[in-house]
Amino acid sequence: MKKEIMQGNAAIARGAWEAGVKVAAAYPGTPSSEILRDIAENYPEIYAEWSTNEKVAVEVVSGAAIAGVRAMASMKHVGLNVAADPLMTLSYTGIKGGLMIVVADDPNVHSSQNEQDSRNWARFGKIPMLEPADAQECKDFTKIAFEISEQFDTPVLLRTETRVAHSDSPVVLEDRVESNIVPGLDPKDAPKYVMVPINVRVRRKAVEEKMKKLEEYANTFKYNIMEINDTSVGVISSGVSYLYTKEVFPEWSYLKLGMVWPLPKKMIAEFAKKVKKIVIVEELDPFFETEIKAMGIKIWHGKDVIPNMYELSPEIVEKALKGKKYKEPKIRVKPEDLPRRPPNLCAGCSHRPLFYALKKLGAFVFGDIGCYTLGTAPPLQALHTTICMGAGVGQAHGAMKAIGKDALGKVVAVIGDSTFLHGGVTPLMDVVYNKGNSTTIVLDNRITGMTGHQEHPGTGFTARQEPTNAVDYAELGKALGVKSIRYIDPYNIKETMEIIKEEMNKDEPSLIIYKNAPCMLLRRAKPTERFKHPFYVVDTDKCRGCRMCLEINCPAISWQEGEGTTKDGHKRKGTTYINRDQCVGCEVCVQVCKFDAIVPGTK
Amino acid sequence: MKNSDKTVNIFLSGVGGQGTILASNILAEVFIKAGYDVKKAEVHGMAQRGGDVTTHFRFGKKVYSPLIKYGDVDFLLSFELLEALRYINWVKPEGKIIINKQKIFPPAVNLGQVKYPEDVEKIFKKYFKDNVWVVDGQGIARSLGNVQAANVVLVGAFSNFFPEINPEQFVEAIKSLLAPKLHDLNVKAFYEGRKAL
Ligand SMILES: Cc1ncc(C[n+]2csc(CCOP(=O)(O)OP(=O)(O)O)c2C)c(N)n1
Ligand code: SF4
Ligand code: SF4
C-alpha cells in the first residue's frame, strides 16, 4: 500500500486518473487551479486543457462525456455561475461516460469577488453533489462521483473549499482502471440530447425520477456516515465543518454527510430519533438547516449560533456552541495594532506605471479581476469597479451611454489578457455594434497572472506547454469593427498618458493594448531584459524627500527618516531608499522623480 | 491519553519567497514516515511576491481539523519577526517559539506611515520566558554561501525539539524534495541549524 501526503486538489487529480478519466478541462480560479495543472503535469493518459472560460470547459467535457468517456471540469465557485447555462440543461440530458464538475468555494473570500455557497447550485440544478473533508476523501469521492454519474445518468458536482482544496493529508494510492463504456456517438440518441420542448418534457420527468432514486441511494451511500457516541447531542455536518466540530466535541454523535445533495431524509430522521438534541454545523448558508427543518425535525442549534458568513474554524464552532463557557485565549498583542502586509504588485509589474498614468489623467476606471485589481489599493487608488470577469468593458459602455458626450475623456475600461478572452470580447463587440465610444485597454502581460501563471489562448502555449496559436488582440479588435486600435508601452508613462487621453476623447470605440510588457514572474518572456539597468539607487545628494516616488507603491522603495540637506542646500525630512535586491530596473520611479535623484546603480 | 497520542500543533509563518512552504513540506515528509497522521493547511496571498504566508501543521495519532484551534499552538516557527508577532496570541502559555531574526518591511512601513514593531524578541520573552529561541537563519545560510537556505537552517534548529526522530530522516526528506544540485548546501544548512540551538 503506497501512501503519500497530497494536497486536496492533487488528490482530486489522482482520483480522476485512477477513475480512468480521459478528458479534463478547466479555467483557473483559486482555490481550484492546481487540479488541472497537476493533471497536465502528471497524468499523460488524460487530455488536459485550459479552456477560454468555465462555460467552454463544461461544454468541452460534456461533449467528451456524451462521446462515452469519463470527463471532468474544475473551477472556482464563481466559475460555476459562468458555466451554469450548460450545466442546468446537462442535468436534463444526462451523459454517457461519467461527468464530474469540481466547484471550489472560498468561504472568508481569501481570493474571490464574492462568498457564494455553491451547494445551492445542486438544489437549483437538480444535480447530486459530494463534499469531501480531506485529501483521502477528495480522491475517494472523485472516483465514486463517476460511478454515480454513470449509474444515474447525470453530471455530478464535487464541492471543495479553500481548506479542503489547499490542505494536505495522507492519501492511499491505487491503480488506474479504464472505464468499460465503449466510446462513440450515435445519432439515434438525439432525443436525449436535443433539448427542444417536446424532448425537454420527456427529460424533465427523467430529472425528477433521477432525483428520487438518488435520494434513496443517499440513504445507503457509504460516505453518509452515522457515528453514535454520546447521544445527548447529535451533530449533522459535512466537509471541514465536520472536522472542526469533531475536533472540539469528540464525544458527541455525528451524521457526516458525504453527499450534500440530495439529502438522505430517511437517514436524517433515523439519526434524529437516536439523539436527544440536534445541532447543524455548516459553513455559509443554512442549506441543511432549511431542508431539515422542513422535514419537521426540531433543531437545538444551527444558524442561531453558527455564523452564516466567513469561514468556520475549531474555535468559532466551540465558541458558538459553548457560549459563555468558552474561554478566550489571552491577548498578548493586539494584532490590529501591527502593520498589515497586504498584497502589492510586484516590483517592475507593468500594471504599476499604467495605473499611475490613469491616476494622473483623473479617469474613472472600470476595472476587472486580476493582479491589476490591486490598482485600487492606496496610494495608487486608480481602479474604481470590480464585479466579475469581463464586466468592466460593458460597464464603461453603459456609463458613457448614460452620461453622454460629457463622459468623453473621463472614462476607461481596463481588462487583463486572460480576462479579456474569458469574457471581454463579447462586450467589446457590443460597444462597436451599438455605436459606443468607450475605450478599452487590454493589459496584455502574456499570462494569467493572478491565479499562478496559467496559459490561455493568447499566450501561444497549451496547458502542456506545446506551442500553439496566440490570439492577436489587434486583429481581433479589427474583426469586431474597432477602428481606433493603438499599442502602448506602459513603462513610458508620458507617452502612455498621451495615447490614453487621445483615445478617451475620441467619439468612437477604441482599443489599446500593452506592447512588450510581460508579467515579471513569466520567466520565458525574460521580462527584465528590456530594462537598461539592473537596478537603480537614490542619489542622496539630490533627493529632497518629496515622497513622490512613494506614490507608485513599489515594494523596493522605502522611506528613511532623518533631517538633512541636498547638495545644493534644500532642507529635507528624510530620503527614500531603493532595496537593490528587490529593484528590477523598470525606471518607473525615475520618471516620477522631479529632481533626477534616481540614478542607475553600479555593482 | 498517552502523550504521544496527542496531536502536536505547529504554526509556521513568514513572507512569500522565504521558503516556508518547503519547510512545512519537509516536516510533512518526516512525520508521515514516522508513522503519524498529518494535516497541513496553507494560506498564502495571491500570485504576487511579498504577501504573508501561514501554514497550520498538525501531527498525531489521528488528526481531524486541518486548522489549529486559536490559542492551541505548541510550536510557533516563524521566518520573519513581524510575522511571528502577528500570531503571538495563538501560542499556548507553555508553547515554544523559534524565530528567524529577519525583518521584512511591509508597505506601510516602507511608506513611513507606521513603524516596524521594536523588540519583538523581548515581547516574546516577556510571555514565554526561556521558551523563545532566535536563530540567525540568513547569517548562517550566508556563511554557507547561499542565503536562500535560511529556511532549512530553521528546520534544522527546529528538529532539536523532536529527539525521537533521527536527523537522518530530515536529511532524507530534504533530499526527496530538492533537486540533487541543492542537496549539499541544504544538508549542511540543516546541520548548522541543528547546532544553532
Ligand atoms: C468567473 C471567474 N473565473 C475565474 C476567476 C479567477 N481569476 C481571477 S483573476 C483571473 C485572471 C487574471 O488574469 P489576467 O486577466 O491575465 O490578469 P493578470 O492577473 O495577469 O494581471 C482569474 C482566472 C474569477 N475571479 N472569476
Ligand atoms: S504576478 Fe505578474 S501581473 Fe501579478 S503583480 Fe506580479 S508582475 Fe504584476
Ligand atoms: S526602478 Fe524604481 S519602480 Fe522600478 S523596480 Fe526599481 S525601485 Fe521599483
Coordinates of all heavy atoms in Angstrom, one line a residue, chain A residues 5 111 134 163 166-170 243-244 246-248 314-315 318 329 331-333 338-341 343-344 346 371 374 449-450 521 547 550 555 557-559, chain B residues 15 32 37-43 46-50 58 64-67 69-71 80 82-83 85-86 88-89 91 93 104 106 110-112 114 123 127-128:
Chain A
I5 N 1.6 12.1 1.1 CA 0.9 13.3 1.5 C 0.6 14.1 0.3 O 1.4 14.3 -0.5 CB 1.6 14.0 2.6 CG1 0.8 15.3 3.1 CG2 3.0 14.4 2.2 CD1 0.9 15.5 4.5
S111 N -9.6 34.9 -1.7 CA -9.1 35.4 -3.0 C -10.3 35.3 -4.0 O -10.3 34.5 -4.9 CB -7.9 34.6 -3.5 OG -7.5 35.0 -4.8
D134 N -11.2 15.9 3.4 CA -9.7 15.9 3.4 C -9.3 15.3 2.1 O -10.1 14.9 1.2 CB -9.2 15.1 4.6 CG -9.6 13.7 4.7 OD1 -10.1 13.1 3.7 OD2 -9.5 13.1 5.8
R163 N -10.1 25.2 2.5 CA -9.5 24.4 3.5 C -9.4 22.9 3.1 O -8.8 22.1 3.8 CB -10.2 24.6 4.8 CG -10.2 26.0 5.3 CD -8.9 26.6 5.4 NE -8.9 27.9 6.0 CZ -7.9 28.6 6.3 NH1 -6.7 28.1 6.1 NH2 -8.0 29.8 6.9
H166 N -6.8 23.3 -0.5 CA -5.4 23.7 -0.2 C -4.8 23.1 1.1 O -3.9 23.6 1.7 CB -5.3 25.2 -0.1 CG -5.3 25.8 -1.5 ND1 -5.3 27.2 -1.7 CD2 -5.2 25.3 -2.7 CE1 -5.3 27.4 -3.0 NE2 -5.2 26.3 -3.6
S167 N -5.4 22.0 1.6 CA -4.9 21.3 2.7 C -4.3 20.0 2.3 O -4.8 19.3 1.4 CB -5.9 21.0 3.8 OG -6.3 22.3 4.3
D168 N -3.2 19.6 3.0 CA -2.5 18.3 2.6 C -2.8 17.3 3.7 O -2.8 17.6 4.9 CB -1.0 18.5 2.6 CG -0.6 19.4 1.5 OD1 -1.2 20.5 1.4 OD2 0.4 19.1 0.7
S169 N -3.0 16.0 3.3 CA -3.1 14.9 4.2 C -2.8 13.6 3.5 O -2.8 13.6 2.3 CB -4.5 14.9 4.9 OG -5.5 14.9 4.0
P170 N -2.6 12.5 4.2 CA -2.2 11.3 3.6 C -3.2 10.7 2.7 O -4.4 10.8 3.0 CB -1.9 10.4 4.8 CG -1.8 11.2 6.0 CD -2.6 12.4 5.7
L243 N -15.0 18.2 10.5 CA -13.7 18.0 11.2 C -13.5 19.0 12.3 O -13.0 18.7 13.4 CB -12.6 18.2 10.1 CG -12.5 17.1 9.0 CD1 -11.4 17.4 8.1 CD2 -12.3 15.7 9.6
Y244 N -13.9 20.3 12.1 CA -13.8 21.3 13.1 C -14.6 20.9 14.4 O -14.1 21.0 15.5 CB -14.3 22.7 12.7 CG -13.5 23.3 11.5 CD1 -14.2 24.2 10.6 CD2 -12.2 23.0 11.2 CE1 -13.6 24.7 9.5 CE2 -11.6 23.6 10.1 CZ -12.2 24.4 9.3 OH -11.6 25.0 8.2
K246 N -15.8 17.9 15.2 CA -15.3 16.6 15.8 C -14.0 16.9 16.7 O -13.8 16.3 17.7 CB -14.9 15.7 14.6 CG -14.4 14.4 15.1 CD -15.5 13.3 15.1 CE -14.9 12.0 15.6 NZ -16.0 11.1 16.0
E247 N -13.3 17.9 16.2 CA -12.0 18.3 16.9 C -12.4 18.8 18.3 O -11.7 18.5 19.3 CB -11.3 19.4 16.1 CG -10.0 19.9 16.7 CD -8.9 19.0 16.5 OE1 -8.8 18.3 15.5 OE2 -8.0 18.9 17.4
V248 N -13.4 19.6 18.4 CA -13.7 20.3 19.7 C -14.8 19.5 20.5 O -14.8 19.6 21.8 CB -14.1 21.8 19.6 CG1 -12.9 22.6 19.4 CG2 -15.1 22.0 18.5
P314 N -12.2 25.6 14.3 CA -12.5 24.9 15.6 C -13.0 25.9 16.7 O -13.9 25.6 17.3 CB -11.2 24.3 15.9 CG -10.4 24.1 14.7 CD -10.8 25.3 13.8
E315 N -12.3 27.1 16.8 CA -12.7 27.9 17.9 C -14.0 28.6 17.7 O -14.7 28.9 18.6 CB -11.6 29.0 18.2 CG -11.3 30.0 17.2 CD -10.3 29.6 16.1 OE1 -10.0 28.4 16.1 OE2 -10.0 30.4 15.2
E318 N -16.5 26.1 18.6 CA -16.5 25.9 20.1 C -17.2 27.0 20.8 O -18.1 26.8 21.6 CB -15.1 25.7 20.6 CG -15.0 25.4 22.1 CD -13.6 25.2 22.6 OE1 -12.6 25.5 21.9 OE2 -13.5 24.7 23.7
P329 N -8.6 32.7 24.6 CA -7.2 32.8 24.9 C -6.7 34.2 25.2 O -7.3 35.2 24.8 CB -6.5 32.3 23.6 CG -7.6 31.6 22.8 CD -8.9 32.3 23.2
I331 N -5.0 37.7 25.2 CA -4.5 38.6 24.2 C -3.1 39.2 24.7 O -3.1 39.9 25.7 CB -5.5 39.7 23.9 CG1 -6.8 39.2 23.5 CG2 -4.9 40.7 22.9 CD1 -6.9 38.6 22.1
R332 N -2.1 38.9 24.0 CA -0.8 39.4 24.4 C -0.4 40.7 23.6 O 0.1 41.7 24.2 CB 0.3 38.4 24.3 CG 0.0 37.1 25.1 CD 0.9 36.0 24.7 NE 0.6 34.8 25.5 CZ 0.2 33.6 24.9 NH1 0.1 33.5 23.6 NH2 -0.2 32.6 25.7
V333 N -0.7 40.7 22.3 CA -0.5 41.8 21.5 C -1.8 41.9 20.6 O -2.3 40.9 20.2 CB 0.7 41.6 20.6 CG1 0.8 42.7 19.5 CG2 2.0 41.5 21.4
L338 N -0.7 45.9 14.6 CA 0.5 45.6 13.8 C 0.3 46.1 12.4 O -0.8 46.0 11.9 CB 0.8 44.1 13.9 CG 1.1 43.6 15.3 CD1 1.3 42.0 15.2 CD2 2.4 44.2 15.9
P339 N 1.4 46.5 11.7 CA 1.3 46.8 10.3 C 0.8 45.6 9.5 O 1.3 44.5 9.7 CB 2.7 47.2 9.9 CG 3.6 47.2 11.1 CD 2.8 46.6 12.2
R340 N -0.1 45.8 8.6 CA -0.6 44.7 7.8 C 0.4 44.5 6.6 O 1.2 45.3 6.3 CB -2.0 45.1 7.2 CG -3.0 45.2 8.3 CD -4.5 45.2 7.8 NE -4.6 45.9 6.5 CZ -4.9 45.3 5.3 NH1 -5.2 44.0 5.3 NH2 -5.0 45.9 4.2
R341 N 0.2 43.3 6.0 CA 1.0 43.0 4.8 C 0.1 42.7 3.6 O 0.0 41.5 3.2 CB 2.0 41.8 5.2 CG 3.3 41.8 4.4 CD 4.1 40.6 4.8 NE 4.8 40.7 6.1 CZ 5.9 41.4 6.3 NH1 6.5 42.0 5.3 NH2 6.5 41.4 7.5
P343 N -1.4 42.4 -0.2 CA -0.7 42.1 -1.4 C -0.4 43.4 -2.2 O -1.1 44.4 -2.1 CB -1.8 41.2 -2.2 CG -3.1 41.5 -1.5 CD -2.8 41.9 -0.1
N344 N 0.6 43.3 -3.0 CA 1.0 44.5 -3.8 C 1.5 44.0 -5.1 O 2.0 42.9 -5.2 CB 2.2 45.2 -3.0 CG 2.5 46.6 -3.6 OD1 1.9 47.0 -4.6 ND2 3.6 47.2 -3.1
C346 N 4.1 43.3 -8.0 CA 5.5 43.0 -7.9 C 6.3 44.2 -8.3 O 5.8 45.0 -9.1 CB 5.9 41.9 -8.8 SG 5.0 40.3 -8.5
C371 N -4.4 40.6 -11.2 CA -3.4 41.3 -10.4 C -3.7 42.8 -10.5 O -3.5 43.5 -9.5 CB -2.0 41.0 -10.9 SG -1.4 39.4 -10.4
L374 N -5.3 45.2 -8.0 CA -4.5 45.9 -7.0 C -4.3 47.4 -7.3 O -3.9 48.1 -6.4 CB -3.2 45.2 -6.8 CG -3.3 43.8 -6.2 CD1 -2.0 43.1 -6.3 CD2 -3.8 43.8 -4.8
G449 N -1.9 36.1 -14.7 CA -1.0 36.3 -13.6 C -1.6 35.9 -12.2 O -1.0 35.1 -11.5
M450 N -2.7 36.5 -11.9 CA -3.3 36.4 -10.5 C -3.4 35.0 -10.0 O -3.1 34.8 -8.8 CB -4.7 37.0 -10.6 CG -5.4 37.0 -9.3 SD -4.7 38.3 -8.4 CE -5.9 38.5 -7.2
L521 N 6.9 37.6 -13.4 CA 7.2 36.2 -13.0 C 7.1 35.2 -14.1 O 7.2 34.0 -14.0 CB 6.2 35.8 -11.9 CG 6.2 36.7 -10.6 CD1 5.3 36.1 -9.6 CD2 7.5 37.0 -10.1
R547 N 8.8 62.6 -1.5 CA 8.0 61.4 -1.4 C 7.2 61.0 -2.7 O 6.3 60.2 -2.7 CB 7.0 61.5 -0.2 CG 7.6 61.5 1.1 CD 6.5 61.9 2.2 NE 6.9 61.5 3.5 CZ 6.6 60.3 4.0 NH1 5.8 59.5 3.4 NH2 7.0 60.1 5.3
L550 N 7.2 57.5 -3.7 CA 6.5 56.5 -2.9 C 5.0 56.3 -3.4 O 4.4 55.4 -3.1 CB 6.4 57.0 -1.4 CG 7.8 57.0 -0.7 CD1 7.6 57.6 0.7 CD2 8.3 55.6 -0.6
P555 N 7.4 48.0 -4.1 CA 7.9 47.3 -2.9 C 9.4 47.5 -2.6 O 9.9 47.3 -1.5 CB 7.6 45.8 -3.1 CG 7.2 45.7 -4.5 CD 6.8 47.0 -5.0
I557 N 11.0 50.4 -2.8 CA 11.3 51.8 -2.4 C 10.7 52.0 -1.0 O 9.6 51.7 -0.7 CB 10.6 52.8 -3.3 CG1 11.0 52.5 -4.8 CG2 11.1 54.2 -2.9 CD1 10.4 53.5 -5.8
S558 N 11.6 52.5 -0.1 CA 11.1 52.8 1.3 C 11.5 54.2 1.7 O 12.4 54.8 1.1 CB 11.6 51.7 2.2 OG 13.0 51.6 2.2
W559 N 10.9 54.7 2.8 CA 11.2 56.0 3.3 C 12.1 55.8 4.5 O 12.0 55.0 5.3 CB 9.8 56.6 3.8 CG 10.0 57.9 4.5 CD1 9.8 58.2 5.9 CD2 10.4 59.1 3.9 NE1 10.0 59.5 6.1 CE2 10.4 60.1 5.0 CE3 10.8 59.5 2.6 CZ2 10.7 61.4 4.8 CZ3 11.1 60.9 2.4 CH2 11.1 61.8 3.5
Chain B
V15 N 7.0 35.3 5.1 CA 6.6 36.2 3.9 C 6.9 35.4 2.7 O 7.9 34.6 2.6 CB 7.5 37.5 4.0 CG1 7.1 38.4 2.8 CG2 7.2 38.3 5.3
I32 N 5.1 11.9 8.4 CA 4.4 10.8 7.8 C 5.2 9.5 7.8 O 4.8 8.5 8.2 CB 4.1 11.1 6.3 CG1 3.0 12.1 6.2 CG2 3.8 9.9 5.5 CD1 1.7 11.6 5.8
D37 N -0.3 10.5 11.6 CA -1.3 11.1 10.8 C -0.9 12.6 10.7 O -0.4 13.2 11.7 CB -2.7 11.0 11.4 CG -3.8 11.5 10.4 OD1 -3.5 11.6 9.2 OD2 -4.9 11.7 10.9
V38 N -1.0 13.2 9.5 CA -0.6 14.6 9.4 C -1.7 15.4 8.6 O -2.3 14.9 7.7 CB 0.7 14.6 8.5 CG1 1.1 16.1 8.1 CG2 1.9 14.0 9.3
K39 N -1.9 16.6 9.1 CA -2.7 17.6 8.3 C -2.0 18.9 8.2 O -1.4 19.3 9.2 CB -4.1 17.7 8.9 CG -5.0 16.6 8.6 CD -6.5 17.0 8.3 CE -7.3 15.9 7.7 NZ -8.0 15.1 8.7
K40 N -2.1 19.5 7.0 CA -1.3 20.7 6.8 C -2.2 21.7 6.0 O -2.7 21.2 4.9 CB -0.1 20.3 6.0 CG 0.8 21.4 5.5 CD 2.2 20.8 5.2 CE 2.4 20.5 3.7 NZ 2.5 21.6 2.8
A41 N -2.4 22.9 6.4 CA -3.2 23.8 5.7 C -2.4 25.1 5.4 O -1.9 25.7 6.3 CB -4.5 24.2 6.5
E42 N -2.4 25.4 4.2 CA -1.6 26.6 3.8 C -2.5 27.7 3.4 O -3.5 27.6 2.7 CB -0.8 26.2 2.5 CG 0.6 26.5 2.6 CD 1.5 25.3 2.4 OE1 1.3 24.7 1.3 OE2 2.2 24.9 3.3
V43 N -2.1 28.9 3.8 CA -2.7 30.1 3.3 C -1.6 31.1 2.8 O -0.8 31.5 3.6 CB -3.6 30.8 4.4 CG1 -4.2 32.1 3.7 CG2 -4.7 29.9 4.8
M46 N -1.8 36.1 -2.9 CA -2.0 35.7 -4.3 C -0.7 35.5 -5.0 O 0.3 35.2 -4.4 CB -2.9 36.8 -4.8 CG -4.2 36.8 -4.0 SD -5.4 38.0 -4.4 CE -5.3 39.1 -3.0
A47 N -0.8 35.7 -6.3 CA 0.4 35.3 -7.1 C 1.6 36.2 -6.9 O 2.7 35.7 -7.0 CB 0.0 35.3 -8.6
Q48 N 1.3 37.4 -6.5 CA 2.4 38.4 -6.4 C 3.4 38.0 -5.3 O 3.0 37.3 -4.3 CB 1.9 39.8 -6.1 CG 0.8 40.2 -7.0 CD -0.6 39.7 -6.4 OE1 -0.7 39.4 -5.3 NE2 -1.6 39.6 -7.3
R49 N 4.6 38.6 -5.4 CA 5.6 38.3 -4.3 C 5.3 39.1 -3.1 O 4.6 40.2 -3.2 CB 7.0 38.7 -4.8 CG 7.4 37.9 -6.0 CD 8.8 38.4 -6.4 NE 9.4 37.6 -7.4 CZ 9.9 38.1 -8.6 NH1 9.8 39.4 -8.8 NH2 10.4 37.3 -9.5
G50 N 5.8 38.7 -2.0 CA 5.8 39.5 -0.8 C 4.6 39.5 0.2 O 4.6 40.2 1.1
R58 N -0.2 19.9 11.6 CA -0.6 19.1 12.8 C -0.2 17.7 12.6 O -0.4 17.1 11.5 CB -2.1 19.2 13.0 CG -2.7 20.6 12.9 CD -4.1 20.6 13.3 NE -4.3 20.4 14.7 CZ -5.4 19.8 15.2 NH1 -6.4 19.5 14.4 NH2 -5.4 19.6 16.5
Y64 N -8.0 15.4 13.1 CA -9.2 15.8 12.5 C -9.1 17.2 11.7 O -8.8 17.2 10.5 CB -10.4 15.9 13.5 CG -10.8 14.5 13.9 CD1 -10.4 14.0 15.1 CD2 -11.6 13.7 13.1 CE1 -10.8 12.7 15.5 CE2 -11.9 12.4 13.4 CZ -11.5 11.9 14.7 OH -11.9 10.6 15.0
S65 N -9.2 18.2 12.5 CA -9.2 19.6 11.8 C -7.9 19.9 11.1 O -6.8 19.7 11.6 CB -9.5 20.6 12.9 OG -9.3 21.9 12.3
P66 N -8.0 20.4 9.9 CA -6.7 20.9 9.2 C -6.3 22.2 9.9 O -5.1 22.6 9.7 CB -7.2 21.2 7.8 CG -8.6 21.4 7.8 CD -9.1 20.6 9.0
L67 N -7.1 22.9 10.6 CA -6.8 24.2 11.2 C -6.5 24.0 12.7 O -7.3 23.2 13.4 CB -7.9 25.2 11.1 CG -8.2 25.7 9.7 CD1 -9.3 26.8 9.7 CD2 -7.0 26.2 8.9
K69 N -6.7 25.1 16.5 CA -7.6 25.9 17.2 C -6.8 27.1 17.8 O -5.7 27.0 18.3 CB -8.2 25.2 18.4 CG -9.4 25.9 19.0 CD -10.2 25.0 19.9 CE -9.6 25.1 21.3 NZ -10.4 24.4 22.3
Y70 N -7.4 28.3 17.6 CA -6.8 29.5 18.1 C -6.4 29.4 19.6 O -7.3 28.9 20.4 CB -7.9 30.7 17.9 CG -7.5 32.0 18.5 CD1 -6.3 32.6 18.1 CD2 -8.3 32.7 19.4 CE1 -5.9 33.9 18.7 CE2 -8.0 33.9 19.9 CZ -6.8 34.5 19.6 OH -6.5 35.7 20.1
G71 N -5.2 29.7 19.9 CA -4.7 29.5 21.3 C -4.1 28.2 21.6 O -3.7 27.9 22.7
E80 N 10.0 35.4 10.0 CA 10.2 36.8 10.0 C 9.6 37.4 11.3 O 8.6 36.9 11.8 CB 9.4 37.4 8.8 CG 9.9 38.7 8.3 CD 9.1 39.9 8.9 OE1 8.1 39.6 9.7 OE2 9.5 41.0 8.7
L82 N 8.0 40.3 12.4 CA 6.7 40.8 12.5 C 5.6 39.7 12.3 O 4.6 39.6 12.9 CB 6.5 41.9 11.4 CG 5.1 42.3 11.1 CD1 4.4 42.9 12.4 CD2 5.0 43.4 10.0
E83 N 6.0 38.7 11.4 CA 5.0 37.6 11.1 C 5.0 36.7 12.3 O 4.0 35.9 12.4 CB 5.3 36.9 9.8 CG 5.1 37.8 8.6 CD 3.8 38.5 8.5 OE1 2.8 37.9 8.8 OE2 3.8 39.8 8.3
L85 N 5.2 37.9 15.5 CA 4.4 38.7 16.5 C 2.9 38.7 16.2 O 2.1 38.6 17.1 CB 4.9 40.1 16.5 CG 4.5 41.0 17.7 CD1 4.9 40.4 19.0 CD2 5.1 42.4 17.5
R86 N 2.6 38.6 14.9 CA 1.2 38.6 14.5 C 0.4 37.4 15.0 O -0.8 37.5 15.2 CB 1.2 38.6 12.9 CG -0.1 39.2 12.3 CD -0.1 39.0 10.8 NE 0.9 39.7 10.1 CZ 0.9 41.1 9.9 NH1 0.0 41.8 10.4 NH2 1.9 41.6 9.2
I88 N 1.3 35.8 18.0 CA 1.7 35.5 19.4 C 0.5 35.0 20.2 O 0.7 34.2 21.1 CB 2.3 36.8 20.0 CG1 3.0 36.4 21.4 CG2 1.3 37.9 20.1 CD1 3.8 37.5 21.9
N89 N -0.7 35.5 19.9 CA -1.9 35.1 20.8 C -2.3 33.6 20.5 O -3.1 33.1 21.2 CB -3.1 36.0 20.5 CG -2.7 37.4 20.8 OD1 -1.9 37.7 21.6 ND2 -3.3 38.4 20.1
V91 N -0.4 31.1 20.5 CA 0.5 30.1 21.2 C 0.0 29.8 22.6 O -0.4 30.7 23.4 CB 2.0 30.6 21.3 CG1 2.9 29.5 21.8 CG2 2.4 31.1 19.9
P93 N 0.2 28.9 26.6 CA 1.2 29.5 27.6 C 2.5 28.8 27.7 O 3.6 29.4 27.8 CB 0.4 29.5 28.9 CG -1.0 29.4 28.5 CD -1.1 28.7 27.2
I104 N 11.4 42.0 7.4 CA 11.0 42.4 6.0 C 9.9 43.4 6.2 O 8.8 43.2 6.7 CB 10.5 41.2 5.2 CG1 11.6 40.1 5.1 CG2 10.1 41.7 3.8 CD1 11.2 38.8 4.4
P106 N 6.8 45.7 5.6 CA 5.6 45.7 4.8 C 5.4 47.1 4.2 O 6.0 48.1 4.7 CB 4.5 45.4 5.8 CG 5.0 45.8 7.1 CD 6.5 45.7 7.0
N110 N 7.4 50.9 4.7 CA 8.2 51.5 3.6 C 7.7 52.9 3.4 O 8.5 53.8 3.0 CB 8.0 50.7 2.4 CG 9.0 49.5 2.3 OD1 9.9 49.5 3.0 ND2 8.7 48.6 1.4
L111 N 6.4 53.1 3.5 CA 5.9 54.5 3.1 C 6.1 55.4 4.3 O 5.7 56.6 4.2 CB 4.4 54.4 2.8 CG 4.1 53.6 1.5 CD1 2.6 53.5 1.3 CD2 4.7 54.1 0.3
G112 N 6.6 54.9 5.4 CA 6.8 55.8 6.6 C 5.6 56.1 7.3 O 5.6 57.0 8.1
V114 N 3.8 53.9 9.3 CA 3.8 53.2 10.6 C 5.2 52.7 10.9 O 6.0 52.5 9.9 CB 2.8 52.0 10.7 CG1 1.4 52.5 10.8 CG2 3.0 51.0 9.6
I123 N 9.3 41.0 23.6 CA 7.8 40.8 23.9 C 7.6 39.3 24.0 O 6.9 38.8 24.9 CB 7.0 41.3 22.7 CG1 7.2 42.8 22.5 CG2 5.5 41.0 22.9 CD1 6.6 43.5 21.3
Y127 N 6.4 36.9 27.7 CA 5.3 36.0 27.9 C 5.8 34.5 28.0 O 5.2 33.7 28.6 CB 4.3 36.1 26.8 CG 3.6 37.4 26.9 CD1 3.9 38.5 26.0 CD2 2.6 37.6 27.9 CE1 3.2 39.7 26.1 CE2 1.9 38.8 28.0 CZ 2.2 39.8 27.1 OH 1.6 41.0 27.2
F128 N 6.9 34.2 27.3 CA 7.2 32.8 27.2 C 8.6 32.5 27.8 O 9.1 31.3 27.6 CB 7.2 32.4 25.7 CG 5.8 32.5 25.1 CD1 5.5 33.6 24.4 CD2 4.9 31.5 25.3 CE1 4.2 33.8 23.8 CE2 3.6 31.6 24.7 CZ 3.3 32.8 24.0

